[in-house]
Amino acid sequence: MTRKDLNGANSTGTEAHFTGVAALLTPGVMRALTAATVAVGTNALSVMAQARGRAWERACGEHALACHAAAIAPAWTWFLLEQQRIERPRTNPQGGWLSILGGTLTIIGNCLLVAGFRRVGPGALVNADLFSDYPREWQSGGVYAPVADPISLGYGLALAGRAVRLRSGGTLVVAAWLSALLLAVEAPVERWAHPRARSSSHVRS
């Protein structure tokens, strides 16, 4: 086989690889990725506005948390709808090791979610623990000892498990992207913004 033949074979293999990756980025997947980015970005900006200058407290008074929840709800609703619309294989084979793996990831993810919410309370679903009148302390024990952000990680693993069970590569891409955003953007912002993890100026008087 000539050098030209080898180069041609390598080129074809590389092109096939990138074609396979690109095939996952369907319009539906791209919309879900965009929605996830907007949702996490909106959430982080809203939390930062409250933490830095108590913007929601100044604007809405005692209804600050409700205003924050109303601000982030549309973006998260959009993401949930878009990830449900991602194209999936026409056939969904049952059984096999992929179903076991997907189920295991889903169980682990849900366990992390339950454990996380048990520590910080259900209000953390809308970041209630980041508002100055919320009584809970910053968590560092329990499930938060080995896992810095079990709720964010739980979301990602649960969605990844669903993707594996459905044999949906697009959903798996979205799960990975959501996990990266939550752990790299949202989690550090929440740690910075928590009224008991910051300076005493943000501790409830």
Side-chain angles (χ1 to χ4, degrees):
M1 183 177 290
T2 65
R3 181 180 297 274
K4 181 178 180 180
D5 292 331
L6 287 172
N7 290 338
N10 289 336
S11 176
T12 301
T14 302
E15 290 174 1
H17 172 73
F18 283 109
T19 299
V21 173
L24 294 176
L25 301 179
T26 63
V29 170
M30 293 303 296
R31 287 194 300 270
L33 293 174
T34 301
T37 304
V38 171
V40 173
T42 301
N43 208 126
L45 288 173
S46 181
V47 165
M48 291 176 68
Q50 167 63 17
R52 181 175 290 277
R54 296 189 176 183
W56 287 120
E57 289 181 16
R58 294 202 311 271
C60 304
E62 62 181 8
H63 303 294
L65 179 58
C67 290
H68 164 72
I72 66 175
W76 282 113
T77 301
W78 179 34
F79 167 70
L80 292 174
L81 291 174
E82 290 297 345
Q83 66 94 12
Q84 288 286 341
R85 294 170 179 162
I86 294 174
E87 297 86 350
R88 303 184 184 93
R90 293 184 178 180
T91 58
N92 184 21
Q94 300 297 318
W97 69 272
L98 282 177
S99 294
I100 296 173
L101 175 61
T104 301
L105 290 174
T106 300
I107 291 172
I108 294 173
N110 287 331
C111 286
L112 286 173
L113 285 171
V114 171
F117 280 120
R118 285 189 66 181
R119 291 288 298 189
V120 298
L125 185 64
V126 289
N127 308 115
D129 54 325
L130 304 181
F131 282 70
S132 59
D133 58 350
Y134 198 74
R136 290 185 178 270
E137 300 292 333
W138 179 255
Q139 296 295 323
S140 59
V143 70
Y144 282 85
V147 182
D149 193 340
I151 293 177
S152 294
L153 183 58
Y155 280 137
L157 287 177
L159 185 56
R162 180 172 180 271
V164 173
R165 293 198 320 273
L166 294 174
R167 278 64 164 176
S168 173
T171 303
L172 192 60
V173 170
V174 173
W177 180 242
L178 177 65
S179 298
L181 288 173
L182 289 174
L183 294 172
V185 177
E186 184 66 21
V189 167
E190 291 185 4
R191 177 175 289 276
W192 170 82
H194 196 282
R196 279 125 181 117
R198 298 187 68 204
S199 63
S200 59
S201 63
H202 288 276
V203 177
R204 180 169 58 93
S205 58

